[in-house]
Amino acid sequence: QVQLVESGGGLVQAGASLRLSCAASGRTFSTSAMGWFRQNPGKEREFVAAISWNGERTNYADSVRGRFTISRDNGKNTIYLQMNSLKPEDTAVYYCAADRLRYGLTMTTNRAGYWGQGTQVTVSS
């Protein structure tokens, strides 16, 4: 089993920045693609960003491309989501997910074998 713990969420004003972290444990981290997703009450969980198992490829939702950056530090078993120029529409619970397979180049909800508890990001106008 893989355990994921997100942190770094908070309440900020539009234009501010936040850095989310996701600490992974329970199995080998360095061979799994990882991703960030977000969800609002009553709505479906949506893809935000993904990073390949080796960190060489990243993928972003159109709504965050150019503002958010996903990265990973395999030595710390942690991935990050640097969020800049935050907008009110970025408000959501952000979830970290780990690929259920090894050596993945990206992540989608159907590939997510493990989820964290989520961290709330609220952006006021």
Side-chain angles (χ1 to χ4, degrees):
Q1 286 290 311
V2 173
Q3 297 180 9
L4 305 172
V5 180
E6 303 97 333
S7 62
L11 173 62
V12 298
Q13 290 185 304
S17 296
L18 283 173
R19 184 178 177 88
L20 306 183
S21 299
C22 173
S25 63
R27 66 170 174 88
T28 301
F29 171 80
S30 61
T31 57
S32 298
M34 302 286 290
W36 288 97
F37 300 78
R38 65 189 184 188
Q39 187 172 27
N40 282 302
K43 298 181 179 179
E44 295 183 352
R45 191 166 298 184
E46 65 174 328
F47 169 80
V48 175
I51 188 165
S52 64
W53 69 276
N54 58 3
E56 294 184 355
R57 281 180 163 75
T58 57
N59 190 30
Y60 298 93
D62 290 342
S63 59
V64 307
R65 187 175 293 110
R67 299 187 297 118
F68 291 10
T69 302
I70 187 171
S71 61
R72 67 189 300 160
D73 186 339
N74 287 352
K76 297 180 179 179
N77 290 343
T78 301
I79 66 166
Y80 305 93
L81 186 67
Q82 178 66 46
M83 304 186 295
N84 297 328
S85 301
L86 283 162
K87 304 175 181 179
E89 51 262 44
D90 295 319
T91 295
V93 177
Y94 283 71
Y95 296 91
C96 176
D99 195 353
R100 61 183 175 86
L101 302 176
R102 301 176 71 190
Y103 305 115
L105 300 181
T106 189
M107 275 286 293
T108 59
T109 54
N110 62 305
R111 290 286 295 272
Y114 308 94
W115 296 92
Q117 293 287 94
T119 185
Q120 177 71 49
V121 172
T122 303
V123 184
S124 65
S125 60

